[in-house]
Amino acid sequence: MRNDIQTEDIPALCASCEARHRGICAALDAAQLIALARSSHRHRAGEGEELVGEEESIERYSNVLSGVVKLTKTLSDGRQQIVGLRFAPDFLGSPFKVESKLNAEAATKVSLCSFPRGAIERMMKEQPGLEHRLLQQTLKELDEAREWMVTLGRKTAAEKVASFLLLIAKNIDPSARPDRDKAEFELPLTRADIADFLGLTIETVSRQFTRLRADGIIAIENNRQVTVPSLSRLEARSGS
Amino acid sequence: MRNDIQTEDIPALCASCEARHRGICAALDAAQLIALARSSHRHRAGEGEELVGEEESIERYSNVLSGVVKLTKTLSDGRQQIVGLRFAPDFLGSPFKVESKLNAEAATKVSLCSFPRGAIERMMKEQPGLEHRLLQQTLKELDEAREWMVTLGRKTAAEKVASFLLLIAKNIDPSARPDRDKAEFELPLTRADIADFLGLTIETVSRQFTRLRADGIIAIENNRQVTVPSLSRLEARSGS
DNA sequence: CGATAGTTTGACACAGCTCAATAGGCGTGG
DNA sequence: CCACGCCTATTGAGCTGTGTCAAACTATCG
């Protein structure tokens, strides 16, 4: 199914791409990668840019190559909830159509590799491995969503904020290793985003940050640069 | 893929089964149904009975034929959150293994059609349509989970209870039809379950029920039998 | 340096929680 | 068929965590 030996055959673009190894494209062989690369294009989006409006979602699918994308839902009166975050090399855009509305917006600067809907669907027919991969990613997303439901429904504000920091640390700390208990990373979200993710207000989020800082669980520089000296101490506050 | 013409060929058990039409089994042809039926068995479970403990989840998969199953997650200190409800003809048991722990418990009397893990996985290899079907069910679940995240994170207690009643009405009112604005059903969950589903306490749930009753939005008989004279009036209170 | 957007802090209000008592439904056994 | 007991649901009173509103502070960028 994978064809790592013939690395020279795969498109140059894909050779160093993370999605090729850990993402959707890992299910494709060289020939399929070439076919897909023909109709794919890389592009960037700035913070706050909308990626998937109603219409566009149907048009194309993307791999997240870098940056963070937030998936949001909005009630009719404007209340908003972030229902998921996508990090590299996650897949973006749900296959087949889902009835309910969902927005995707760049939380940070983002780079994407996009292809038209049709290309993926055609490939799915001739390569069941791709659909299998998609199922796995969807199951992972479902699992994460359920985990977060517990956070939203049953945790206190303090636990929510700690859980959030752990999630980010796991997903974007470049120095992360299983044994390292320390973490450093730049927050990809504003306080407002964090509030929307946690079902809180920005003021409550801010107060919880202040408390974590006062207790030495985290240090923050320039509002965004976070240091966690001990992930296990942070985890102890996450209520899990 | 489906083979409705040769109805006489399919197993007697499956002939009248809802899962055969709207569930997972719709992806199978007569021969496959027969093969699967050989290793499947129907059984019942009483209210509160645990269906999927850690170990068992891996062992077998089931279709829900009647009744309601609740999927729960529990924090280390005992706080609980219901992360999903399964109604007939939903599928139960996640394919491949998911790392995180999830419990499935009968919320009402339940009847199931179960088969061993291996049977399904073998069939998935020879019948891509089955995996496709599974992907669709998973996408639907993901969508529902996200919808509920908004409810948990951003709605008031009153809106949560209204949303819950709408969800139940949609899924188990036998007399439901798109045009009918009235609904009648028996609540499949206790107040404690409802609280765990909504991220509230039983007292708050009870008070919201009382208010809905006082306002004529619902009528309740015997604590479980609910009448909703106007679903649209109920929906107006759901905050969506 | 000033403008702007984001963040922190404070004072206060209120939705929903806690604890406690009462009421209702339902099965069991006299 | 009633009486009892158990379990679930309701109601009440008071408390508290989080929201609201407003002001001060801080980064960032032209």
Side-chain angles (χ1 to χ4, degrees):
Chain A
M1 206 181 298
R2 274 176 62 169
N3 208 345
D4 279 318
I5 303 140
Q6 311 173 282
T7 317
E8 68 275 11
D9 289 346
I10 70 173
L13 264 176
C14 304
S16 66
C17 178
E18 251 202 312
R20 159 115 187 76
H21 297 299
R22 301 196 293 126
I24 284 294
C25 297
L28 302 176
D29 63 28
Q32 292 171 320
L33 274 180
I34 291 169
L36 191 55
R38 227 190 310 278
S39 59
S40 81
H41 72 290
R42 294 196 172 200
H43 57 116
R44 302 184 158 273
E47 197 174 324
E49 208 166 309
E50 177 140 323
L51 301 175
V52 188
E54 208 90 13
E55 355 60 52
E56 202 176 2
S57 75
I58 322 277
E59 298 309 315
R60 59 186 193 185
Y61 297 163
S62 311
N63 283 314
V64 178
L65 302 182
S66 72
V68 178
V69 174
K70 54 183 185 182
L71 306 176
T72 67
K73 277 178 162 285
T74 308
L75 296 176
S76 48
D77 63 358
R79 282 174 287 177
Q80 209 176 38
Q81 174 73 43
I82 295 183
V83 296
L85 294 176
R86 292 283 89 104
F87 306 92
D90 289 339
F91 184 70
L92 203 63
S94 53
F96 331 113
K97 115 160 218 86
V98 186
E99 69 282 8
S100 84
K101 186 171 147 193
L102 196 141
N103 273 58
E105 192 178 313
T108 63
K109 281 180 200 165
V110 158
S111 77
L112 302 168
C113 179
S114 304
F115 13 77
R117 173 191 181 76
I120 283 282
E121 294 191 345
R122 230 174 299 119
M123 220 154 270
M124 226 153 49
K125 286 207 178 109
E126 68 186 43
Q127 171 60 284
L130 180 57
E131 187 153 39
H132 184 76
R133 193 88 190 185
L134 226 47
L135 177 55
Q136 284 186 317
Q137 150 126 1
T138 307
L139 284 167
K140 182 180 141 238
E141 285 182 44
L142 180 58
D143 199 49
E144 290 167 354
R146 284 175 171 162
E147 199 67 54
W148 210 248
M149 286 172 74
V150 181
T151 301
L152 289 174
R154 286 304 186 198
K155 290 190 184 175
T156 65
E159 292 168 337
K160 285 179 176 181
V161 170
S163 302
F164 167 74
L165 289 170
L166 280 173
L167 177 77
I168 299 300
K170 265 190 217 120
N171 281 285
I172 67 169
D173 180 1
S175 68
R177 267 186 289 109
D179 53 325
R180 256 173 75 93
D181 197 39
K182 187 182 177 188
E184 288 182 280
F185 51 86
E186 193 182 337
L187 276 182
L189 303 187
T190 66
R191 298 293 184 275
D193 284 337
I194 299 171
D196 281 347
F197 192 34
L198 295 172
L200 298 171
T201 59
I202 53 176
E203 292 93 336
T204 300
V205 170
S206 179
R207 284 186 243 273
Q208 297 304 333
F209 270 112
T210 302
R211 179 183 300 208
L212 285 174
R213 209 177 327 143
D215 295 356
I217 307 290
I218 60 171
I220 304 184
E221 241 175 318
N222 293 343
N223 271 337
R224 289 291 190 107
Q225 193 60 39
V226 176
T227 307
V228 184
S230 163
L231 285 170
S232 32
R233 282 217 295 154
L234 181 59
E235 189 164 15
R237 299 216 173 193
S238 74
S240 311
Chain B
M1 209 180 295
R2 273 176 63 171
N3 207 346
D4 279 317
I5 304 140
Q6 309 173 284
T7 317
E8 68 277 10
D9 289 346
I10 70 172
L13 265 175
C14 304
S16 66
C17 179
E18 249 201 312
R20 158 115 187 76
H21 299 296
R22 300 197 293 129
I24 285 293
C25 296
L28 302 176
D29 62 28
Q32 293 171 319
L33 274 180
I34 291 170
L36 191 55
R38 228 192 307 281
S39 58
S40 80
H41 73 290
R42 293 194 171 200
H43 57 114
R44 301 184 160 273
E47 196 175 324
E49 208 166 309
E50 177 139 324
L51 300 176
V52 188
E54 208 90 14
E55 354 61 52
E56 201 176 1
S57 75
I58 323 277
E59 298 309 316
R60 58 185 194 185
Y61 296 162
S62 311
N63 283 313
V64 179
L65 302 182
S66 72
V68 179
V69 174
K70 53 183 186 183
L71 305 176
T72 66
K73 279 179 161 286
T74 308
L75 296 176
S76 49
D77 64 357
R79 279 174 289 177
Q80 210 176 38
Q81 175 71 44
I82 295 183
V83 296
L85 294 176
R86 293 282 88 103
F87 307 91
D90 290 339
F91 185 68
L92 203 63
S94 52
F96 330 112
K97 115 160 218 87
V98 186
E99 69 281 7
S100 85
K101 187 170 145 192
L102 197 143
N103 273 59
E105 192 178 313
T108 64
K109 282 180 201 164
V110 157
S111 75
L112 301 168
C113 180
S114 303
F115 14 76
R117 172 188 181 78
I120 284 283
E121 293 190 345
R122 230 174 299 121
M123 219 154 271
M124 227 152 51
K125 285 206 179 109
E126 67 187 44
Q127 171 59 285
L130 180 56
E131 189 153 38
H132 183 78
R133 193 87 190 184
L134 226 46
L135 176 55
Q136 284 186 317
Q137 150 125 2
T138 307
L139 285 167
K140 181 180 141 238
E141 287 182 43
L142 180 57
D143 199 48
E144 290 167 354
R146 286 173 171 162
E147 198 67 53
W148 210 249
M149 286 172 75
V150 182
T151 301
L152 290 173
R154 287 303 186 198
K155 290 190 185 174
T156 65
E159 291 167 338
K160 285 179 176 181
V161 170
S163 303
F164 166 74
L165 288 171
L166 279 173
L167 177 76
I168 299 300
K170 264 188 218 123
N171 281 284
I172 67 171
D173 180 2
S175 68
R177 265 184 291 110
D179 53 325
R180 253 174 77 93
D181 197 40
K182 186 181 175 188
E184 287 182 281
F185 52 87
E186 193 182 337
L187 275 183
L189 304 186
T190 65
R191 298 294 185 273
D193 285 337
I194 299 171
D196 282 347
F197 193 34
L198 296 173
L200 299 172
T201 59
I202 53 176
E203 292 93 335
T204 300
V205 171
S206 181
R207 283 185 241 274
Q208 297 303 334
F209 270 112
T210 302
R211 179 182 301 208
L212 285 173
R213 208 175 330 141
D215 294 355
I217 307 289
I218 60 171
I220 304 185
E221 240 175 318
N222 295 341
N223 271 335
R224 290 290 190 108
Q225 194 60 38
V226 177
T227 306
V228 184
S230 162
L231 286 170
S232 31
R233 283 216 296 154
L234 181 59
E235 189 163 16
R237 298 215 173 192
S238 73
S240 309

